Amino acid sequence: MLDINPGLILWTILTFVIVVGILRAAAWKPLLAALNAREESIRSALRRADEARAQAQALLEENQKQRAQAEEQAQRLIKEGRDMGERLKGEIVEKANSSSRHMVEQAKEEIRREKEAAIVQLREEMSDLAIAAAGKLLDANLDTAKQRALVDAAIRDIAKAPRQ
């Protein structure tokens, strides 16, 4: 079994060469075609994957731009709302201040008119009382006791008179 048999070697080599020739003629081209097709499909899949990744990257960048624009617009709208609120607040405060000043001035004017009317009425009543007292003094004798009684009566009349 360990002997070298030259005939067996020759037949083995010859069989190997014939099998290789048959495989080359019959199976080699279809194997190469299948390998080339597989290589091309892998390249095509890699190319499509690269294109899809590039599209995804472009969509991501566009999405980020739109998000940034939306956030910027939201911030602008918030700022405009705050500014409008501050402006309205200022207008309302100014109207309230103006209204309160107007009301205070009206109240002061009303108080002044009432005061003047009270002073005029008081003067009229004092004039009437003075005239009445003078008339009573002139009608009565000018005796001191009668004068004192007249003045006391006038004071009691003043005290009894209804106040407005």
Side-chain angles (χ1 to χ4, degrees), residues 75-86:
Q75 291 298 327
R76 189 178 69 246
L77 289 174
I78 289 170
K79 184 182 182 301
E80 288 174 3
R82 283 183 184 151
D83 290 346
M84 183 181 288
E86 288 296 321

Side-chain angles (χ1 to χ4, degrees), residues 3-18:
D3 288 345
I4 297 181
N5 188 349
L8 184 60
I9 292 176
L10 180 65
W11 281 109
T12 304
I13 291 175
L14 184 62
T15 306
F16 180 74
V17 169
I18 290 172

Side-chain angles (χ1 to χ4, degrees), residues 16-163:
F16 180 74
V17 169
I18 290 172
V19 170
V20 169
I22 292 172
L23 285 177
R24 184 172 181 203
W28 189 257
K29 286 184 182 179
L31 282 174
L32 283 179
L35 287 175
N36 285 338
R38 177 72 179 146
E39 182 182 355
E40 184 57 35
S41 70
I42 290 172
R43 281 188 188 139
S44 176
L46 287 174
R47 188 173 46 252
R48 286 192 311 264
D50 285 342
E51 289 172 359
R53 187 182 64 221
Q55 286 178 347
Q57 184 67 29
L59 287 174
L60 178 64
E61 289 173 2
E62 181 65 27
N63 188 14
Q64 288 175 343
K65 284 180 186 176
Q66 288 177 353
R67 193 176 123 252
Q69 288 174 347
E71 188 160 327
E72 180 181 317
Q73 184 179 9
Q75 291 298 327
R76 189 178 69 246
L77 289 174
I78 289 170
K79 184 182 182 301
E80 288 174 3
R82 283 183 184 151
D83 290 346
M84 183 181 288
E86 288 296 321
R87 188 172 58 249
L88 287 174
K89 175 185 161 188
E91 289 175 5
I92 290 171
V93 167
E94 180 57 35
K95 284 180 182 177
N97 287 339
S98 174
S99 176
S100 66
R101 282 192 300 267
H102 181 68
M103 289 172 63
V104 166
E105 288 186 20
Q106 281 182 338
K108 285 181 181 178
E109 182 62 27
E110 182 69 23
I111 290 170
R112 186 188 61 76
R113 283 195 302 265
E114 290 292 326
K115 181 181 172 183
E116 287 177 4
I119 290 172
V120 166
Q121 184 179 2
L122 185 60
R123 284 183 182 159
E124 287 175 1
E125 287 180 13
M126 287 179 61
S127 298
D128 290 343
L129 287 176
I131 291 171
K136 286 182 181 181
L137 283 176
L138 290 177
D139 286 342
N141 272 334
L142 294 179
D143 144 359
T144 308
K146 284 187 177 183
Q147 282 181 348
R148 185 151 317 265
L150 225 55
V151 169
D152 288 340
I155 291 174
R156 277 192 303 269
D157 287 345
I158 291 172
K160 287 181 185 178
R163 294 186 181 162

